[in-house]
Amino acid sequence: MPPTRSAANLAVIDALDRLAATADPARTLTIDSIRDTLRDAHGISDFGAESNYLRRGIRSLVDSGRVRAIGSGAFRFVGSAPTAITPPVASDAEPEAGPRTTEAEPHATDALVTPAIDPTFRMAPAMRHYFGQIAAAAQGGSIEGLRFIGPAGCGKTEAALQIAAMAGFDAFVIDCSIVREPRDWFGSRTVKGGAIAWQDSQFVRAVTRGNTVIVLDEANRASLTVGNALLPLLDRRRATLVEERGSVVRVAPGTVFVATMNEGAAYTGTGPMDAALRDRFPRVIEMTYLRPDEEAALLVARTGIDAPTAARLVEIAGKTRTTTAGVATFSSVLSTRQLLAAAADYRLSGPQSLAYTVANLYPAEGGNESERAQVTALLVGKFGPLT
């Protein structure tokens, strides 16, 4: 089940959060009096069947130490919230006396990177200008997401990191293909000091810290159910209730979501993105491979290979990317990522390395008529014998 709940449940939790920060710690309250306060002061009308939303919310406040149970059905708020958060218990029973104490998780993310502007990264001037505008807008607050689509190895993830560098932000990259369950986005239960506690995921720590570009890499490799768990974070609500966490996850200002995707029948393991999820990424940037001269310049800048050799490698890549009557000449193309590896090895070992970094990427079935034979012939024509 996705870790988000109804708008009514979210409203109760949000109102309880505000009440916990302002309530008189000397005043004794009951379920009924808290319900009356939320109804009169915050306009809450739906507390769930038998006030279940309210009971669960109070349970989470007790577990986190923000509310102290002083008797059967009687409570006192204890003031500002500590950093420790423990999960609520899905039960209609009254919260028990004695909050569980847990060690607070540090509000840090060890998977964050701080990208620097890469002078070798090539992009069209118009796109660079647009990315600069996006970076400037992100510095002023939250903006709606971006979706990068294009073939594998053309620089989609790198482009997202460059937006972070332009804005002076950190970046957090998460491989969506490894997220199997909706709650995997948010964290898990753990045991500390003999008590059960909720541990936030690195994804949650990243989205709640601010001034961070969140890269949802290979976004269409996650199942529809898994992706839909993010919907409330990506729209104007910028928040979602994680019931096991016992509180609402709120997207901090300066957070930019970027989804990268490969689309097409060639990419097995991908699927269609839900229309509601696509709608939350209204900026769509179609990326493709660089112009031949720009791609060759990139190989030179990043690997130190000489310009004529770089140009020949790019020409070979161009052959693999051609189509005839809309049908691809080869079953796969040489991406910029693969060209960079080929150039680096060529500089170390010469033409023989191309057998391993280029020719062997293609199937050998068919003998002299196979794709591998055709690519090898192209390579020999440009570079001489590969042995």
Side-chain angles (χ1 to χ4, degrees), residues 321-340:
R321 299 169 186 171
T322 59
T323 59
T324 302
V327 178
T329 305
F330 292 91
S331 59
S332 62
V333 303
L334 280 176
S335 69
T336 303
R337 181 188 296 121
Q338 291 164 333
L339 276 183
L340 286 166

Side-chain angles (χ1 to χ4, degrees), residues 312 316 351 354 373-387:
R312 283 181 285 167
I316 296 293
L354 297 175
Q374 295 177 55
V375 171
T376 299
L378 292 172
L379 291 169
V380 171
K382 291 293 182 182
F383 299 95
L386 304 186
T387 57

Side-chain angles (χ1 to χ4, degrees), residues 150-173:
C154 71
K156 299 185 295 295
T157 304
E158 281 194 77
L161 296 179
Q162 286 304 292
I163 290 179
M166 290 177 181
F169 286 3
D170 290 328
F172 176 80
V173 182

Side-chain angles (χ1 to χ4, degrees), residues 246-337:
S247 61
V248 175
V249 173
R250 300 185 187 282
V251 178
T255 302
V256 182
F257 290 97
V258 178
T260 71
M261 301 170 55
N262 301 316
E263 293 186 313
Y267 300 104
T268 59
T270 64
M273 180 179 277
D274 179 82
L277 191 57
R278 295 173 71 93
D279 191 59
R280 284 159 170 80
F281 293 92
R283 298 175 173 87
V284 180
I285 292 91
E286 292 186 345
M287 300 187 67
T288 187
Y289 300 115
L290 297 168
R291 294 198 319 259
D293 59 324
E294 293 177 331
E295 196 166 32
L298 177 66
L299 299 186
V300 172
R302 292 199 177 175
T303 70
I305 198 172
D306 63 89
T309 301
R312 283 181 285 167
L313 283 173
V314 169
E315 187 174 350
I316 296 293
K319 299 286 187 182
T320 72
R321 299 169 186 171
T322 59
T323 59
T324 302
V327 178
T329 305
F330 292 91
S331 59
S332 62
V333 303
L334 280 176
S335 69
T336 303
R337 181 188 296 121

Side-chain angles (χ1 to χ4, degrees), residues 28-377:
T28 299
L29 298 170
T30 64
I31 292 284
D32 290 340
S33 63
I34 294 173
R35 182 174 55 242
D36 292 342
T37 298
L38 295 186
R39 180 185 293 115
D40 297 341
H42 299 277
I44 305 297
S45 58
D46 186 355
F47 296 92
E50 299 181 358
S51 297
N52 209 33
Y53 298 160
L54 180 58
R55 294 175 188 276
R56 292 183 184 184
I58 294 174
R59 161 75 74 171
S60 70
L61 293 175
V62 170
D63 288 341
S64 65
R66 300 171 67 182
V67 165
R68 181 164 55 92
I70 59 173
S72 178
F75 315 94
R76 284 181 182 171
F77 288 88
V78 297
S80 60
T83 56
I85 298 175
T86 53
V89 176
S91 170
D92 290 340
E94 300 288 349
E96 300 171 354
R100 279 179 289 182
T101 58
T102 60
E103 181 182 346
E105 286 296 313
H107 192 67
T109 306
D110 56 20
L112 283 173
V113 296
T114 304
I117 292 178
D118 183 354
T120 70
F121 186 78
R122 299 294 198 274
M123 69 178 83
M127 183 177 291
R128 185 176 295 277
H129 176 70
Y130 181 65
F131 282 0
Q133 292 178 317
I134 293 295
Q139 292 169 343
S142 297
I143 63 172
E144 293 175 304
L146 296 89
R147 179 156 40 102
F148 290 174
I149 60 176
C154 71
K156 299 185 295 295
T157 304
E158 281 194 77
L161 296 179
Q162 286 304 292
I163 290 179
M166 290 177 181
F169 286 3
D170 290 328
F172 176 80
V173 182
I174 182 167
D175 181 0
C176 294
S177 65
I178 67 173
V179 183
R180 298 300 182 187
E181 298 291 337
R183 75 172 180 182
D184 289 347
W185 293 110
F186 302 102
S188 60
R189 292 178 185 267
T190 187
V191 177
K192 290 190 176 182
I196 297 176
W198 175 262
Q199 180 170 311
D200 280 343
S201 66
Q202 294 190 35
F203 172 77
V204 165
R205 297 176 197 169
V207 302
T208 57
R209 70 188 301 272
N211 295 345
T212 304
V213 173
I214 309 295
V215 184
L216 304 174
D217 217 19
E218 308 289 354
N220 57 337
R221 291 185 183 271
S223 71
L224 294 179
T225 302
V226 165
N228 288 343
L230 296 181
L231 293 177
L233 294 178
L234 298 171
D235 61 22
R236 289 190 177 275
R237 288 172 288 180
R238 308 288 278 186
T240 188
L241 170 65
V242 181
E243 190 164 338
E244 290 177 291
R245 185 179 190 257
S247 61
V248 175
V249 173
R250 300 185 187 282
V251 178
T255 302
V256 182
F257 290 97
V258 178
T260 71
M261 301 170 55
N262 301 316
E263 293 186 313
Y267 300 104
T268 59
T270 64
M273 180 179 277
D274 179 82
L277 191 57
R278 295 173 71 93
D279 191 59
R280 284 159 170 80
F281 293 92
R283 298 175 173 87
V284 180
I285 292 91
E286 292 186 345
M287 300 187 67
T288 187
Y289 300 115
L290 297 168
R291 294 198 319 259
D293 59 324
E294 293 177 331
E295 196 166 32
L298 177 66
L299 299 186
V300 172
R302 292 199 177 175
T303 70
I305 198 172
D306 63 89
T309 301
R312 283 181 285 167
L313 283 173
V314 169
E315 187 174 350
I316 296 293
K319 299 286 187 182
T320 72
R321 299 169 186 171
T322 59
T323 59
T324 302
V327 178
T329 305
F330 292 91
S331 59
S332 62
V333 303
L334 280 176
S335 69
T336 303
R337 181 188 296 121
Q338 291 164 333
L339 276 183
L340 286 166
D345 282 12
Y346 187 99
R347 189 166 179 266
L348 293 174
S349 304
Q352 63 267 28
S353 66
L354 297 175
Y356 312 110
T357 58
V358 178
N360 286 357
L361 298 176
Y362 293 87
E365 290 79 4
N368 292 335
E369 301 299 321
S370 68
E371 290 190 9
R372 185 176 299 177
Q374 295 177 55
V375 171
T376 299

